[in-house]
Amino acid sequence: MPETLTIALAKGRILDETLPLLARAGIEPSDDLNTSRKLVFSTNQPTINLVLIRSADVPTYVQYGAADIGIAGKDVLLEHGGEGLYERLDLKIARCRLVTAGIVGKPVPRGRLKVATKYPEITRQYFLEKGQQVELIKLYGSMELAPIVGLADLIVDLVDTGNTLKANGLVAIDHIVDISSRLIVNRASLKMKNQAVKELVEKFEQAVAEPSA
Ligand code: PRP
């Protein structure tokens, strides 16, 4: 019996770049992932299923083996910590940067800073390494609003074009890390379904190397 693999995909922006990569790897979902309300999808490959979830949940599904493989941003992987999974391949899609940002022209205050972010672990670690005391304010989106309304001195957020920062009178201050999507594999699946995982990883390696249309 050929082994079945489940791949966890992230909803949202990252999906637009994931679908062409999947296609280049020879995987076509049975339904339109952008419009369907389903969460589980079969594909043109009888041994490959997809699940579609929130991006921050992808590492958790793969960690516990609910999915054998996942496609997740380096940001959510760093935040998750990587327990129970291997980061196997840089897919070189959904590239952006994680930065600190504040209000244009406003000096960063001395002393304990208030920092708003949806990445508390990365942020804690970053400021710990700098030896800077911070109060973390956990948000779930639209971080750019926090300095404008005085909720925070700084934000830690993803920047792609820089348009969102600019539109809100903010500027990137420090570059924390470059981000792209990664292929992750459950540790047990790598052992128990070694052949199937290996073949799939090779397909993705080829898809990454192929220039996109
Ligand atoms: C992301 C990120 C920034 C924005 C950056 O937010 O958090 O807000 O995109 O992109 P830009 O530099 O090209 O403007 P997203 O739209 O994913 O929503 P979120 O606020 O819910 O995180």
Side-chain angles (χ1 to χ4, degrees), residues 175-194:
H175 175 274
I176 300 178
V177 63
D178 284 327
I179 302 294
S180 59
S181 295
R182 311 295 162 101
L183 191 80
I184 55 173
V185 182
N186 171 266
R187 277 177 192 261
S189 300
L190 196 62
K191 291 202 188 86
M192 310 293 286
K193 302 183 181 180
N194 184 268

Side-chain angles (χ1 to χ4, degrees), residues 13 118 140-142 144 157-164:
R13 275 191 199 210
K118 67 174 169 190
Y140 293 86
S142 304
E144 293 85 357
D157 196 8
L158 297 177
V159 176
D160 177 15
T161 61
N163 289 342
T164 312

